Amino acid sequence: MFRIAAPRQAARAASVAFAQSQAVPAAGASAAQSLTARWMSAAAPGPKPANPEFSSGPCKKHPGYSISNLPTSSLGRSHRSKLGKERLKFAIDETKRMLGIPDDYLVGIVPASDTGAYEMAMWNMLGARDVDVCHWESFGKGWFADAISHLKLRDTVEVTEHTAGYGELPDLTKTSKDRDICFTFNGTTSGVRVPDGCDWIADDRTGLTLCDATSAVFAMNMPWEKLDVTTYSWQKVLGGEGAHGMLILSPRAVERLESYTPDNRPLPKIFRLTKKGKLDAGIFKGATINTPSMMAVEDYIDALAWAESVGGNDGLVGISNANLQTIEKFVDQNEWIDFLAKDPATRSNTSVCCTLDLSPEQIKEFVALLEKENVALDIGGYRDAPPSIRIWCGATVETADVEALMPWLQWAYDEVKK
């Protein structure tokens, strides 16, 4: 079994310390412990992961999580109350601080998860100039489809598609600094991310960049100076709850909102970011467009506190990298498994996708075996992706559990090949 490096031991210790500083365990903890116990099958290759949850969304809760630890004073209160606004504003301020977002950028909580946040940006801002849409997996392809089929941008501007198959990136250098650029930072369903630094985005661009970063934020270093609109959701790297999105705007994005109004494009209430031609600044101070779940807000704040306990953003990135490195070591040692991502420089450290030397039917059997053994849950590849498995390696997944999983991958492969 692989050993945990010293930095990962420190992070694990911090997780334990964070958990011990919280309230009493939740009711029913014994049942949960029973569910994830390291019971062994007759031919067990080794201990099972202490937690078998490797889903790519919603993702595993952070180590030490208990719903009983969440403050309840904001529950049952109006989100417009002084307390409600304070908690929402605190979530925004902590996000901005922990991610190192520039002071002149704005952060807001918006409806409908990352999807709502990204659609909101598209519907408000696109159409002012020509657009480059870059996609290499299902979600990015969805943004392209929305741009041409629902926004019907090709009726008024030129829309250029830059695409590649699963496992690859398109040539991003073919995008133009004078166009708006839509892209995903990390392809959740293909395990392919953009290179560090986003050097292909010009510093002197005149167009905006709209970045769907839902499976990248808190796991990859975000080059904020390259990003004008960034969106993500709580249920990915921090293991929060769904239904709420985060919208991060640069000053250039704000300028677009206040200077451009799309013709003949009615916006539903939950998409409206301006009032009388000016930014609705309250959204970025905790005055949400519609009613949020205050329990989900408290859950997100709790996740931020845990993140701080393991070293903040740098600590989270480090854990995700260590998880990926564990799988990389295993893949290097076994010919029957490989990464879907062709280039190691674009290999995701969150949604790690791997192909297997098995038929599609055998891959389904492989996944089912690991679930039956309560070793790994929800690791089947995305329905539109090539036959594969997908192991979530965001920071709430402990490196020791990824290490424990590796011998079980070999076990499942051997069982299927019999």
Side-chain angles (χ1 to χ4, degrees):
M1 184 183 299
F2 305 121
R3 297 189 179 276
I4 309 173
R8 301 286 71 75
Q9 290 176 325
R12 192 176 178 92
S15 294
V16 172
F18 178 85
Q20 292 175 344
S21 71
Q22 303 299 296
V24 296
S30 59
Q33 290 166 356
S34 175
L35 178 66
T36 58
R38 299 187 182 201
W39 54 273
M40 309 284 277
S41 69
K48 297 181 179 182
N51 192 307
E53 295 167 358
F54 296 96
S55 166
S56 293
C59 300
K60 176 185 174 291
K61 290 297 189 182
H62 67 73
Y65 177 83
S66 172
I67 196 169
S68 65
N69 293 337
L70 303 184
T72 58
S73 57
S74 67
L75 307 188
R77 295 290 307 278
S78 171
H79 62 296
R80 308 292 187 196
S81 68
K82 183 175 183 292
L83 175 62
K85 287 183 178 179
E86 285 176 350
R87 297 304 283 169
L88 289 159
K89 179 71 162 50
F90 182 71
I92 289 170
D93 291 345
E94 281 295 278
T95 297
K96 193 169 185 178
R97 179 188 65 82
M98 193 169 295
L99 289 173
I101 297 171
D103 291 342
D104 57 353
Y105 280 48
L106 299 178
V107 178
I109 298 170
V110 298
S113 195
D114 175 68
T115 302
Y118 202 79
E119 292 280 6
M120 178 183 290
M122 292 178 69
W123 281 76
N124 275 278
M125 300 184 201
L126 294 184
R129 58 177 62 226
D130 294 342
V131 184
D132 285 327
V133 182
C134 309
H135 67 86
W136 51 94
E137 49 89 57
S138 59
F139 290 106
K141 185 177 182 180
W143 303 140
F144 174 69
D146 286 352
I148 61 172
S149 299
H150 298 283
L151 287 172
K152 300 187 184 300
L153 291 179
R154 282 182 168 162
D155 290 349
T156 56
V157 298
E158 182 178 302
V159 179
T160 302
E161 180 184 17
H162 304 269
T163 187
Y166 277 82
E168 300 177 329
L169 275 180
D171 185 352
L172 300 174
T173 65
K174 290 184 177 179
T175 57
S176 170
K177 69 176 184 177
D178 297 320
R179 294 168 171 253
D180 291 337
I181 302 173
C182 299
F183 71 103
T184 53
F185 201 94
N186 179 75
T188 309
T189 65
S190 70
V192 177
R193 53 159 295 175
V194 295
D196 277 334
C198 291
D199 291 339
W200 53 279
I201 298 174
D203 291 332
D204 61 345
R205 63 191 177 278
T206 57
L208 298 180
T209 55
L210 285 73
C211 175
D212 170 2
T214 195
S215 56
V217 171
F218 290 112
M220 304 172 194
N221 291 312
M222 308 302 295
W224 297 113
E225 71 282 0
K226 302 283 189 177
L227 308 176
D228 295 305
V229 178
T230 308
T231 65
Y232 72 94
S233 57
W234 296 346
Q235 78 263 23
K236 290 294 186 180
V237 178
L238 289 185
E241 293 301 296
H244 300 78
M246 299 298 283
L247 179 65
I248 303 170
L249 303 180
S250 74
R252 300 178 68 252
V254 173
E255 191 276 333
R256 170 71 64 84
L257 286 169
E258 295 185 338
S259 64
Y260 170 67
T261 302
D263 293 331
N264 302 316
R265 191 184 296 169
L267 294 178
K269 179 179 179 179
I270 61 170
F271 276 14
R272 296 173 196 161
L273 290 169
T274 60
K275 288 182 178 180
K276 297 180 179 179
K278 293 295 183 182
L279 180 76
D280 185 353
I283 295 171
F284 304 92
K285 298 177 182 177
T288 53
I289 295 173
N290 69 340
T291 307
S293 163
M294 294 309 296
M295 180 173 287
V297 171
E298 295 295 352
D299 184 273
Y300 178 62
I301 292 172
D302 175 77
L304 291 171
W306 167 77
E308 186 74 9
S309 79
V310 297
N313 190 64
D314 288 345
L316 299 175
V317 172
I319 295 170
S320 294
N321 285 340
N323 290 343
L324 171 61
Q325 289 163 10
T326 297
I327 298 178
E328 287 177 329
K329 183 175 180 180
F330 181 79
V331 170
D332 286 345
Q333 295 171 343
N334 293 277
E335 294 184 354
W336 57 268
I337 184 170
D338 202 356
F339 290 98
L340 186 55
K342 303 295 191 295
D343 180 359
T346 64
R347 194 175 285 164
S348 173
N349 66 351
T350 55
S351 53
V352 180
C353 299
C354 292
T355 58
L356 310 180
D357 182 20
L358 297 172
S359 69
E361 293 73 22
Q362 287 176 317
I363 291 177
K364 290 179 181 178
E365 184 181 352
F366 176 97
V367 170
L369 271 175
L370 292 171
E371 182 165 344
K372 181 181 178 181
E373 290 287 330
N374 202 40
V375 168
L377 306 178
D378 307 319
I379 66 166
Y382 192 72
R383 60 180 179 269
D384 294 334
S388 56
I389 61 172
R390 181 171 55 157
I391 301 170
W392 184 254
C393 285
T396 58
V397 174
E398 297 187 86
T399 303
D401 285 339
V402 182
E403 292 172 343
L405 174 61
M406 296 300 100
W408 284 91
L409 297 184
Q410 182 67 60
W411 171 85
Y413 176 78
D414 292 340
E415 288 293 306
V416 169
K417 292 291 283 187
K418 283 182 179 178

PDB file of all heavy atoms in Angstrom, residues 82 312 394:
ATOM      1  N   LYS A  82     -31.351  40.877   9.227  1.00  0.00           N
ATOM      2  CA  LYS A  82     -29.973  41.288   9.494  1.00  0.00           C
ATOM      3  C   LYS A  82     -29.066  40.065   9.605  1.00  0.00           C
ATOM      4  O   LYS A  82     -27.976  40.031   9.017  1.00  0.00           O
ATOM      5  CB  LYS A  82     -29.914  42.119  10.766  1.00  0.00           C
ATOM      6  CG  LYS A  82     -28.524  42.669  11.116  1.00  0.00           C
ATOM      7  CD  LYS A  82     -28.607  43.587  12.331  1.00  0.00           C
ATOM      8  CE  LYS A  82     -27.247  44.193  12.656  1.00  0.00           C
ATOM      9  NZ  LYS A  82     -26.276  43.200  13.137  1.00  0.00           N
ATOM     10  N   GLY A 312      -6.158  26.176   3.910  1.00  0.00           N
ATOM     11  CA  GLY A 312      -6.777  27.083   2.959  1.00  0.00           C
ATOM     12  C   GLY A 312      -6.678  26.575   1.535  1.00  0.00           C
ATOM     13  O   GLY A 312      -6.581  25.366   1.277  1.00  0.00           O
ATOM     14  N   GLY A 394     -11.131  15.408  -5.410  1.00  0.00           N
ATOM     15  CA  GLY A 394     -11.144  16.690  -4.718  1.00  0.00           C
ATOM     16  C   GLY A 394     -10.728  16.541  -3.268  1.00  0.00           C
ATOM     17  O   GLY A 394     -10.680  15.432  -2.717  1.00  0.00           O
TER      18      GLY A 394
END
